[in-house]
Every structure is written in structure tokens, then in C-alpha cells.
Amino acid sequence: MRKNKVRYSEIISKTREWPIYQLSKNRDEFIREVTDESFENFLEVRKGRSLREELETTVYREKLRMKANPWRVDPADEKDFWSGIQHRLVESEGLADSATNEQQILRDIIIRYSSEIAGNFRKSYYKFAKTFVTFGFARLLNAARVKGFLSLFSRQLDLDDKIRIEGEPEHIRQLAQKGTVVMVPTHFSNLDSILIGWVIQFLGLPAFIYGAGLNLFNIKILAYFMNSLGAYKVDRRKKNPVYLETLRAYSTLAIKRGCHSLFFPGGTRSRSGHIEKALKLGLLGTSIEAQRMLYQQDNGEDQKIFIVPTVINYQFTLEAPALIREHLKRTGQERYYEENDEFSTSYKIASFLFKFFTKGSNISVSLGRGMDILGNYVDDEGNSFDKNGNPIYPKDYFVSDGQVTVDKQREQTYVRILAKRIVEEFHIYNKVFASHLVAYTSFKMLERKNPKLDLYHVLRLSEEDLELDYQEFKKCFKKLRKQILKLEKKGKIGITDHLKNKADEAIKEGLKNVGMYHARRPVIHRKEKIIVQDPNTLYYYHNRLDGYGLEKHI
Amino acid sequence: MDSKSTSKHIGVIGAGSFGSAVANILAEKSDKVLLHARTAEKAALLNETRESSGHPLRPNIEVIHDIGRIGASCDVIFPVVPSASFREMMRTLSPFLRPYHILIHGTKGFDLSRKSTSSEDPVSREDVHTMSEVIQQESSVVRVGCLAGPNLASEISQGKPAATVVASQFDEVVQIGQKLLKNDRFLIYGSSDLIGIELCGILKNIIALGAGSVMGLGLGENAKALFISRGLVEMVHIGKAMGGNAQAFLGLAGVGDLMATCSSNLSRNFTVGRKLAEGKTIEMILEEMEEVAEGVKTIDIIRDLSNSFGIRCPITETLYRVIHRQITVEEAHTYLMKFPFRAEIDFLD
């Protein structure tokens, strides 16, 4: 069996030739570059507000943050620094050269921010972390599957037995050699970061840079891994424009320098279980900006940036009950209230991992086709094509009167176009597991049976109303499956093989997996009934198939 | 590898009455305007007579039939062809277009990709496209805008004062439209609500047709004002369901255009309504007309769409029945006087 497995060689075997390594080697110089860039940008985008006003607001907000929400990871000299800035601002007021002073203050703030954000990739750390994750997971896997102590040293099962990489891995490897890859995955679970990290190294790609919440650096062991994997720090507490501009400049310039980059465009994990619809445009915009900057450079050859939408599919998500509760609370407000909370932590995580490795529940990672910065598909060589298959030159998107021009408003509109395309691709590369369809069918049937109730009332149906006739359920399941197969034929969604099995088998497989981790199975089959045990969690899993217009067919 | 364009020509596609008017305005500011006519014969004729739809053409307008030349030598192009042939025109033009091109269209109608097959399966939003959507579907052009407003072509050509709205999601497109078209008799407003402004231009045609029928029946100015007010509410409801904002309908491209078209014999849609009231059939009327009245087609589409959105559009529905000879114009207006309309201005929230 092992012989048939695909193994990918590293596309750049010498780590010291990786762009991320180059970046960390010239860290100081890079920080200077980021500082200059954000300084210029900031002065440009102020929109009429005076610099003094901006600086005063920044100081005010930072002082407020330090008081209201201090973290262990915050530097010791923080108070002194901001008091110093405030002092300098007061002193310079009214002086003849106050404008120059203010600009110097701005620069000092940006230097501080960019040094804080900058990642600290280390070759040796990376190697260690990589081995640790692969080795550790594989050991766990073998211990769980192949019984006995000696199994810890068995090589019978690898991580790639559990994780199916689908879509276009070879194409992505090609693109990573032709230009810079920006990977944008869907985000459902905390497991995603580790998973994607593993996929990247499994595919033989150099390490990617990615933004990680500064709070994660609070924990020493995590900080070690984050740093070694090329993470840069994102502090969500700092929402002031100077900080955001610095963060943007960091991402833009790193992409411009050829560092492959990864970010979850949905921002945080999907609370509702829906595929992300509203993407965060800030970081997405940095790839468009970086591409324009590359076209502005007059060095003959154009370096291209490729966007790779990626969809991660689990049969179940560890955090589902907590996430959906949060979502319902936010959307339902007073119409939603909790009954009880039996959610605990460490034991459940341990049992999750054990179930994950022991039960036949797979994870699939679908790598979408590469696109240019406006969402046109590219071929293996990185050439763009429009919807009709005609070649297209992305540089033309930035051209006015024959020149590449800078137009921020234009680029903002492009970001929205790109975001829309990514969401479309997410839907195309989404893979339907039988468990998704079982959840969708049963939840929609509940809704249909109670047409007068709104969502929150459906979630609170009494036990006897939560039963569905199995034969009726099977009929609906088959009807919906037919629609999904139609969509698949049109290339609008992906499906797993087991979905094509006989209806009874597919349903059985689905029921076995839907929410298999959770203390209470969302839905079960008993005698001639399908019984919904936990409507909230069922709702979460059902959301995965929202947005395909399937509801018309039930 | 990349293609570049440094030409300063401006292109207009469609040598009908509005297309020629637009070309004339552009010719005041630009060195050269290329006006594309549908056939080689028409191009030759216009070049010879230097007159189009009764308007004299300025000397720096060259009428051509080679659409490839428009793509190759113009960065900014104004397509002004009837909605029924718009997609076909775009397909011919598309191979010559690049993402640096800017297209500002002046067509007030829908493109329909599928005719309704039954009341079970009515035409839905995915089957109906505005011209800016057609441009983006058929070409690689993203910088798209539209012209909308009270644009009675003959008045513009006579140099009477007028104004228009250039709408686009791109500030750049709005600015270029303003720069190229603005003169001391022609004001240009900008808007970023492209879809809303397009819908204003399209939906007002339905109301204009109805207003024409009110006048044809001799029901008087009070009745017409009543009809137009109700019509505006209906426009807003449909417009919002299709993705526009209510605000667009209250500006020049909405109320402004509605007033102009509903009170003028120069408006084709108004004329159709008037003639319907005079007892002519729709076939006879369309036969007599030189150019297309978009309103007739729009009524069919909106009737279907309102079914799939589940919104009530009494005016559109009634006009549909008149056109398809299910009721007479008189019956239609008697019905509308009885129809219970709710508060007229609840669309503002």
C-alpha cells in the first residue's frame, strides 16, 4: 500500500534559499522597509485629519488598551514608551518645527509596531517543529490504530492516511515555483492552522508566512512553534489606523518579496458552520497591492501572485457546540437562551484526538485552482485566462492611459471582486460528506414540518416533535442527493465517493459520522425513526450545505 | 507580453438617436470620436450625409463599421445599443477588449437569458441582467459605468440644457465620464450605486408607458400625477429586491428621468402607452416605430421577476395584461383606481 502513495519532493531543497529565510536573515532591513512604506502610506491616507489629531488618538487608544486589557506578552517598557510619546507631543505643540517633530513621532511609533509584528523564522526551529508535528501525530495514530506498545515505533500508518489532499496539489507546486502563492483556506476549527502547516510541508512547499494572534504568543511552547513556522504577530486589541497600516505594509512587502503567504480570509473560525461569505478585505487587499507594486517595478520580468482558495472538510468539528451557541446568541439575542452547559475541556480534547485517530473519519483538504489577483484562473505556467479561455494580462488591470497607476479606490473595488470569487471557489471545492447531507436533510425536514416557526423556535421543539419517519427521510435524502450530483456534474461542488453508495448505506455512513465526537449525537436512527437529539449542533452541520439553493427541492 | 494603449480616441457604439447625441457631446471635448454603426451601409451613409436621426454630426466624428478599431484605438468606449442586441454586440467587441478599457453604457433595458417557461418556474434574478452585468460576463472589462438621467436625445442635440448621472463602483470611471461629457449646457452627476442607477433607467420605462396610457385616455394631470407617484413606489420596491438602493430612485436618474419621460411626447415608451389607449395593438405600434421601446420587454420581465421575488407589482401586472390583450386600457385604469395601495413612502427605511 505504501508504494502507491504520492510523495512530494521539496521544490526548493535548500532552506536557506527560501524567501522566508531570506526575509528573516535581513530582518532589520525588512523592518526598515516596512516602516518607510507604512509611513508614506499613512501620510497619504489620512483623509484630511491632521497628523497631530491622529497621533493623539493613537496614544489615547493605546493607553486605554494597556489599562483595560493587559497581556503577559506585552513588553515591559510599554507604559514608558507611550508616556514618552505623549510628552513629546505636548512639548512640540506650537513650536516652529512641530510638523517635523510629529512626523518623527509617527515614524518612531511605526518602528515599534513593525518590530513587534515581524516574524522570527529560524531554520533549525522549523525543522524541529516539522518533525515534531509529523512524528507526534504519526505516533499517536499508530498507537491508536495498531494495538500494543511496539506500535509506537510502527510505520504502518501515516498522517496522509487520514488526511486526503484533493484538488490541484501538483498545480500549486508548479505555481509556487513560478511566483508567489497566497493560500486562503476556510476556517472551522483550531486544528486548521496545524493541518494546513502540515499540508504545506507535505506538498514540499517552502514555509509560508502567516499572521497569528499575539495572544497565542502568551504561551511559551506555542510561541516557539509559531515563530519557527514563520508566523508574524497580529494584535487584535490594536485597532488604531497606524497599527493597521503597519500590518498591511508588512504583509504587502513580504508577499512582494516572494514569501508565500497564508491567511484565513474569514478572519475567525466560522461560528455558524456556514462557508465564509463575508471575507476580511484588509489582508486580501495586500496581495493586490503587492501585485501592483511588482508591476510598477521596471525589471522586465513580471513576478506574479497566485491566490489559492482551499477548503478544509471535517466530518465533525471539535468546537461545534460552543461555536454554534455563540453564533445563535449573537443572532438570536433575546430569542435564544441556553438551557445547560456541559462543555468541559481537556478530557474532551483528549478523547477527540483519540476518536479522530481511531474512528474512520477522514479530513479532506481541497486545494483550489490558482487564480490571479482578480480571480481569473491560471494555468501551470501561471498565465491568466478569462471566462472564455482567452489569455489575459493582469497588469492591464492597473493600467490607465497606457501606464500602471496607483488608484486606491480602484484597488478596493478589486478586493471586493476577488473576495466574491474566493467565496465562489469555496463553494466549488467544498466536498459533501454523507454526514453533511444527513444533517442538512434532517434539519430542513424539521423546518418544513413547522413552517410557521422561526429558527429559534425550531431549535426549541419538544422531544416528540423531533422525530422523523425514516422512509420519508430516505426519500428526501435521495432527492437532495440527486440535486447535489447534478451540481457536481456542473462542477459546482465536490462529493465524496461514499455519498454515491446505496441510499441506506450512505445514510448509515452519514449518521455514523455526523457529530460523532459530541457527547450527544445530533441525530440518530432508531427503529423506523430518525431522531434529532441536539438541534443546535445539527443546525451547525446543516449550514455547511447552505448557499446551493437545495432548499427548493425538499 | 502586456498590451498597451496610448490612444486618445473615444468610441461610441450605436449610431441611433441617443448614441449620436452622446457622440456629439463627446466630440466637443475630444480630438476624435469614433462612432460605430451597425452596418457598413449605414456608416457610409452617415459619413456622407453627416446627419444621424435628424441630428447633424460634428466634423471630428468618424462613423465606422470596424468594431475591432474601436477596441484597438479607444480606451474609453460608450456602448449605446438596444438591450436586445447588446450581448451580441459585446461578444463581437470582446476579443478586442482588455482590462484597461473603460466602458460606460447608455442602454436602458434588461438582457434576458431565458424566457419564462411556466408560472411554476418563473424567470429569476439569475436569468435577468443589466447591461453592466452583460459587459462583465462577456468581456474582461471590470471598469464599467452607466449613463442615466433625463436624456431626451433630440433636446440634447439641440443644445438645450440637460444633465445626466454617471454611475460606477469606480471613482475613476465617474471622473472620466464627467471629464469627457461635461460642458456648460450638460451637467454630470456621479454615483457609486451602479445597479441602482441602472435600474432607475430601466424601470421608469414601465411607468412612462403607463403614464402615456393615462394621457391617451384623457384622464387628466391629476390622474397622471397619482399614477407617477404610485409608479415610483413600485420602482423602488422592485429596485431594492434586485440589489439597488432607494436613494438612487429619488435623484436625477430616478425621479428626474421619470418626470421627463412621463410628460413628453418625445419619449418612445410614453408614445407606446398613448397609442395603446387610442386603441392600437402593440404589434401595430411597434411596427410604426423606428427605434425600440424598451418598456414593452421590461414589463414582461418584471412581471415574472416579481413573481419569483414574491412582491406585488400592480402597475406592471396591469400593463402586462393590457399589452397581452387580456384587458382593455380602460379596464386597467378602473382596476388601478380600486386597488388598495398602502402607504406610499414606506420605502425610505
Side-chain angles (χ1 to χ4, degrees):
Chain A
M1 191 180 149
R2 287 184 66 83
K3 276 178 199 155
N4 299 332
K5 280 187 184 173
V6 188
R7 284 281 176 268
Y8 298 98
S9 59
E10 289 198 337
I11 61 171
I12 307 173
S13 55
K14 289 186 182 139
T15 319
R16 81 181 96 90
E17 285 169 15
W18 289 3
I20 192 170
Y21 176 76
Q22 295 295 329
L23 192 77
S24 61
K25 214 175 111 196
N26 302 314
R27 192 171 181 267
D28 294 343
E29 184 209 318
F30 185 65
I31 288 174
R32 265 198 303 280
E33 202 185 325
V34 172
T35 308
D36 290 346
E37 176 73 19
S38 21
F39 180 76
E40 294 298 327
N41 281 347
F42 188 77
L43 290 183
E44 207 179 298
V45 297
R46 262 180 305 141
K47 289 183 188 153
R49 275 165 62 111
S50 77
L51 182 55
R52 167 165 290 273
E53 216 176 317
E54 288 283 3
L55 292 172
E56 280 168 354
T57 319
T58 308
V59 173
Y60 172 75
R61 286 201 191 172
E62 284 292 54
K63 290 197 129 185
L64 213 64
R65 169 187 65 79
M66 285 186 288
K67 211 171 159 190
N69 196 6
W71 282 350
R72 202 155 60 94
V73 72
D74 291 334
D77 68 338
E78 217 174 23
K79 251 187 188 154
D80 297 342
F81 176 81
W82 290 107
S83 302
I85 293 285
Q86 193 173 28
H87 195 67
R88 281 165 67 190
L89 265 176
V90 174
E91 289 221 316
S92 82
E93 196 168 14
L95 295 180
D97 59 348
S98 67
T100 330
N101 273 336
E102 283 162 14
Q103 293 206 356
Q104 188 52 50
I105 293 172
L106 173 67
R107 190 175 277 278
D108 290 345
I109 297 176
I110 294 177
I111 291 175
R112 187 175 176 90
Y113 281 154
S114 45
S115 324
E116 179 194 293
I117 292 167
N120 216 344
F121 176 80
R122 281 184 221 161
K123 202 168 78 172
S124 54
Y125 283 22
Y126 176 78
K127 280 203 167 147
F128 174 74
K130 181 178 128 181
T131 323
F132 183 83
V133 171
T134 316
F135 181 85
F137 268 30
R139 287 308 69 120
L140 248 175
L141 183 60
N142 283 305
R145 275 274 187 88
V146 187
K147 298 221 163 61
F149 173 73
L150 284 178
S151 64
L152 272 178
F153 305 97
S154 158
R155 291 186 54 82
Q156 195 179 329
L157 290 164
D158 281 340
L159 209 51
D160 48 318
D161 290 309
K162 291 300 281 186
I163 302 167
R164 296 173 61 115
I165 297 178
E166 310 192 53
E168 316 269 353
E170 203 46 68
H171 170 64
I172 305 308
R173 278 169 53 85
Q174 297 272 345
L175 292 182
Q177 293 169 74
K178 306 277 175 201
T180 311
V181 170
V182 176
M183 197 183 270
V184 282
T186 54
H187 198 5
F188 289 95
S189 165
N190 277 326
L191 206 67
D192 295 345
S193 303
I194 308 172
L195 185 67
I196 286 286
W198 179 83
V199 169
I200 285 170
Q201 66 85 19
F202 181 76
L203 290 177
L205 304 174
F208 278 43
I209 59 161
Y210 72 100
L214 184 65
N215 49 336
L216 295 174
F217 289 82
N218 272 327
I219 306 157
K220 279 215 170 100
I221 178 77
L222 274 182
Y224 175 84
F225 279 108
M226 296 288 174
N227 272 323
S228 61
L229 290 169
Y232 56 91
K233 303 180 195 84
V234 180
D235 188 344
R236 293 207 172 81
R237 296 169 302 170
K238 298 185 179 121
K239 297 215 186 293
N240 70 71
V242 184
Y243 180 76
L244 296 177
E245 197 52 55
T246 316
L247 195 60
R248 276 180 54 82
Y250 185 90
S251 170
T252 309
L253 293 177
I255 296 173
K256 187 180 153 223
R257 282 193 174 209
C259 286
H260 304 305
S261 170
L262 165 85
F263 46 81
F264 295 106
T268 53
R269 288 166 294 163
S270 166
R271 259 53 180 166
S272 60
H274 278 111
I275 291 181
E276 288 89 339
K277 277 185 207 138
L279 305 188
K280 297 265 177 212
L281 304 179
L283 276 178
L284 216 49
T286 61
S287 21
I288 293 183
E289 200 178 340
Q291 181 69 85
R292 187 249 302 147
M293 284 176 161
L294 288 166
Y295 284 136
Q296 276 177 304
Q297 288 175 346
D298 214 13
N299 54 1
E301 209 173 306
D302 292 327
Q303 188 191 334
K304 270 184 85 169
I305 291 165
F306 306 110
I307 312 290
V308 178
T310 302
V311 182
I312 305 174
N313 270 302
Y314 302 100
Q315 296 264 28
F316 58 91
T317 308
L318 173 65
E319 310 93 314
L323 290 174
I324 193 68
R325 228 168 281 170
E326 215 177 290
H327 170 74
L328 291 169
K329 242 192 220 168
R330 209 169 41 206
T331 53
Q333 292 168 358
E334 78 281 1
R335 280 180 296 171
Y336 180 78
Y337 43 94
E338 278 177 47
E339 274 172 21
N340 60 346
D341 186 359
E342 39 144 8
F343 198 64
S344 62
T345 52
S346 46
Y347 168 73
K348 294 219 164 173
I349 292 171
S351 76
F352 165 75
L353 281 175
F354 190 76
K355 281 192 186 177
F356 167 64
F357 287 115
T358 49
K359 308 251 172 159
S361 183
N362 290 326
I363 292 178
S364 90
V365 177
S366 312
L367 296 156
R369 258 175 84 184
M371 311 193 292
D372 66 22
I373 34 84
L374 258 284
N376 302 296
Y377 286 131
V378 299
D379 64 8
D380 284 350
E381 297 301 310
N383 301 312
S384 303
F385 295 89
D386 69 9
K387 287 154 285 200
N388 303 319
N390 300 315
I392 199 171
Y393 309 109
K395 190 173 182 173
D396 285 342
Y397 286 108
F398 303 102
V399 167
S400 282
D401 267 341
Q403 299 281 334
V404 173
T405 52
V406 184
D407 181 333
K408 300 262 173 185
Q409 196 272 338
R410 181 206 288 160
E411 284 169 27
Q412 275 167 16
T413 311
Y414 285 172
V415 179
R416 285 198 287 274
I417 295 175
L418 176 63
K420 208 173 141 207
R421 282 288 296 122
I422 291 175
V423 173
E424 277 171 24
E425 293 296 296
F426 279 167
H427 281 85
I428 292 174
Y429 282 92
N430 186 16
K431 266 201 151 345
V432 188
F433 289 8
S435 60
H436 297 142
L437 190 54
V438 162
Y440 188 83
T441 314
S442 41
F443 196 82
K444 275 284 170 274
M445 282 179 76
L446 282 188
E447 279 189 330
R448 279 295 129 95
K449 269 177 70 182
N450 302 282
K452 294 219 167 106
L453 300 186
D454 72 0
L455 171 67
Y456 304 94
H457 285 93
V458 171
L459 294 176
R460 304 187 58 79
L461 283 172
S462 62
E463 254 176 48
E464 60 269 30
D465 291 325
L466 289 171
E467 290 184 0
L468 303 164
D469 177 65
Y470 181 77
Q471 291 309 324
E472 210 181 309
F473 174 84
K474 187 170 139 188
K475 221 168 93 191
C476 288
F477 181 90
K478 281 166 86 172
K479 214 166 150 196
L480 288 172
R481 185 170 68 170
K482 207 168 130 196
Q483 291 306 321
I484 289 175
L485 291 172
K486 265 193 196 165
L487 287 172
E488 193 227 358
K489 226 173 177 181
K490 287 189 200 159
K492 290 188 172 168
I493 200 168
I495 57 162
T496 41
D497 289 340
H498 65 256
L499 196 68
K500 286 188 192 158
N501 292 346
K502 283 203 163 138
D504 287 311
E505 276 172 49
I507 293 173
K508 200 172 157 197
E509 171 79 20
L511 284 166
K512 194 175 93 188
N513 282 298
V514 64
M516 63 184 292
Y517 157 77
H518 307 302
R520 195 150 191 226
R521 291 294 192 111
V523 60
I524 55 164
H525 182 189
R526 192 180 293 149
K527 289 178 190 159
E528 270 308 291
K529 296 273 179 231
I530 290 286
I531 298 164
V532 175
Q533 302 195 113
D534 181 351
N536 284 8
T537 318
L538 187 68
Y539 173 65
Y540 174 90
Y541 289 111
H542 127 283
N543 275 340
R544 193 70 203 236
L545 287 179
D546 197 44
Y548 291 96
L550 293 171
E551 58 280 359
K552 280 191 289 193
H553 303 282
I554 189 162
Chain B
M1 275 289 272
D2 59 310
S3 35
K4 282 208 168 100
S5 165
T6 49
S7 148
K8 295 282 180 279
H9 293 357
I10 308 296
V12 177
I13 303 179
S17 127
F18 187 45
S20 308
V22 169
N24 264 337
I25 297 174
L26 289 167
E28 284 187 43
K29 294 289 236 2
S30 311
D31 296 339
K32 181 142 192 180
V33 175
L34 298 180
L35 176 61
H36 182 268
R38 198 161 21 110
T39 61
E41 293 74 36
K42 187 168 183 192
L45 182 74
L46 294 185
N47 269 328
E48 201 186 304
T49 60
R50 303 304 294 163
E51 200 181 275
S52 172
S53 309
H55 322 307
L57 293 175
R58 284 184 173 262
N60 54 340
I61 296 176
E62 185 187 344
V63 190
I64 60 168
H65 176 57
D66 174 6
I67 207 159
R69 211 178 130 201
I70 296 257
S73 51
C74 308
D75 281 5
V76 186
I77 303 170
F78 291 79
V80 193
V81 301
S83 64
S85 44
F86 200 95
R87 190 177 285 276
E88 192 196 320
M89 177 279 296
M90 276 309 298
R91 283 188 181 150
T92 336
L93 178 65
S94 175
F96 309 102
L97 293 177
R98 303 283 174 270
Y100 60 73
H101 275 105
I102 289 178
L103 261 62
I104 305 175
H105 78 83
T107 302
K108 293 172 175 176
F110 282 125
D111 170 88
L112 187 62
S113 57
R114 168 180 87 87
K115 284 214 160 60
S116 169
T117 43
S118 65
S119 56
E120 291 279 286
D121 187 18
V123 163
S124 63
R125 178 68 178 93
E126 293 87 65
D127 308 312
V128 177
H129 310 285
T130 65
M131 296 306 122
S132 70
E133 288 168 346
V134 175
I135 294 172
Q136 288 168 75
Q137 284 163 1
E138 294 296 337
S139 72
S140 56
V141 174
V142 273
R143 285 175 256 175
V144 180
C146 83
L147 286 181
N151 294 321
L152 298 167
S154 57
E155 286 189 8
I156 294 172
S157 275
Q158 287 161 23
K160 292 185 178 169
T164 192
V165 177
V166 177
S168 173
Q169 288 178 293
F170 294 89
D171 291 353
E172 183 188 11
V173 176
V174 173
Q175 282 156 13
I176 285 181
Q178 286 176 324
K179 196 181 99 197
L180 292 176
L181 290 164
K182 192 173 178 234
N183 64 40
D184 47 9
R185 287 159 287 109
F186 201 51
L187 277 177
I188 317 288
Y189 293 96
S191 164
S192 58
D193 182 10
L194 175 59
I195 189 83
I197 297 290
E198 276 185 301
L199 290 172
C200 286
I202 299 171
L203 299 175
K204 65 108 212 251
N205 286 333
I206 301 180
I207 311 306
L209 200 146
S213 71
V214 173
M215 290 321 271
L217 287 180
L219 297 176
E221 294 297 330
N222 288 334
K224 193 172 82 176
L226 169 66
F227 185 83
I228 294 174
S229 315
R230 288 171 158 186
L232 181 65
V233 177
E234 190 161 313
M235 280 169 68
V236 173
H237 285 314
I238 307 164
K240 278 168 85 173
M242 292 190 74
N245 291 318
Q247 278 79 357
F249 291 85
L250 300 179
L252 180 70
V255 174
D257 198 6
L258 190 63
M259 284 178 50
T261 7
C262 290
S263 48
S264 166
N265 281 326
L266 297 173
S267 151
R268 288 189 291 273
N269 295 294
F270 183 85
T271 309
V272 172
R274 191 170 44 78
K275 289 186 175 173
L276 274 174
E278 286 163 4
K280 291 187 176 166
T281 66
I282 195 76
E283 291 79 11
M284 283 158 68
I285 299 168
L286 296 180
E287 182 75 13
E288 285 167 19
M289 296 184 89
E290 218 172 279
E291 289 191 62
V292 197
E294 295 281 359
V296 180
K297 210 177 113 197
T298 307
I299 286 173
D300 285 358
I301 296 175
I302 292 300
R303 180 195 178 248
D304 242 27
L305 264 188
S306 61
N307 280 343
S308 77
F309 287 141
I311 50 174
R312 289 167 82 182
C313 296
I315 293 179
T316 312
E317 178 67 36
T318 316
L319 291 174
Y320 174 87
R321 288 161 69 193
V322 170
I323 287 175
H324 294 273
R325 274 178 255 158
Q326 295 167 357
I327 52 170
T328 63
V329 185
E330 287 84 359
E331 283 166 346
H333 285 286
T334 318
Y335 169 74
L336 283 177
M337 282 309 285
K338 285 186 192 152
F339 190 86
F341 283 83
R342 287 185 309 271
E344 303 283 80
I345 52 158
D346 61 352
F347 55 82
L348 272 179
D349 46 81

